[in-house]
Amino acid sequence: MPNLFLKNSVEISVFEKAVYTALLEVPKGKVITYGDLASNAGFFGASRAVGNALKRNPFAPKIPCHRVVKSNGEVGGFAYGVRRKIEILRSENIEIKDGKIINFSKVKI
DNA sequence: TGTTTGACAAGCA
DNA sequence: CTGCTTGCCAAAC
């Protein structure tokens, strides 16, 4: 395994490292899909694995996990509840209706 | 070391 | 639009 970093005494796989790093490049007020994030991280098609990586994210508030959404415009999941995710997104001026993002093509990277 | 698991995606009826 | 099926991938069992 070509991985294992040490961040705050927590082991991180190269996969997670790549995902978190790529995610940090998403500006406030914008979102990215699980699939695109996977691609940006260098793991095309790993959308599902990305979800897992975010869920078990060791350092929660440090990374903007809330900016990762589904490719169909739905919000997706969140470790602390979808409700919370929506609130945070709204606080970043991203409109959401019925669990779906308004103007998805415009707020998406 | 094989199987199961998900915060997914895309295609089709 | 809804619901179902298959494909995916890294991590956890």
Side-chain angles (χ1 to χ4, degrees), chain A residues 61-107:
Chain A
K62 308 202 93 53
I63 282 122
C65 305
H66 59 279
R67 294 183 197 150
V68 188
V69 300
K70 292 196 186 183
S71 63
N72 63 356
E74 287 179 26
V75 178
F78 196 60
Y80 302 104
V82 181
R83 273 213 33 184
R84 190 121 156 88
K85 183 170 183 176
I86 293 177
E87 286 177 18
I88 300 176
L89 287 173
R90 283 198 173 131
S91 74
E92 296 186 350
N93 301 317
I94 294 176
E95 300 179 70
I96 299 171
K97 161 139 191 176
D98 293 323
K100 292 174 197 127
I101 298 178
I102 309 295
N103 292 332
F104 183 50
S105 59
K106 308 213 173 189
V107 293

Side-chain angles (χ1 to χ4, degrees), chain A residues 9 16 34 77 81:
Chain A
S9 74
E16 292 175 320
Y34 291 90

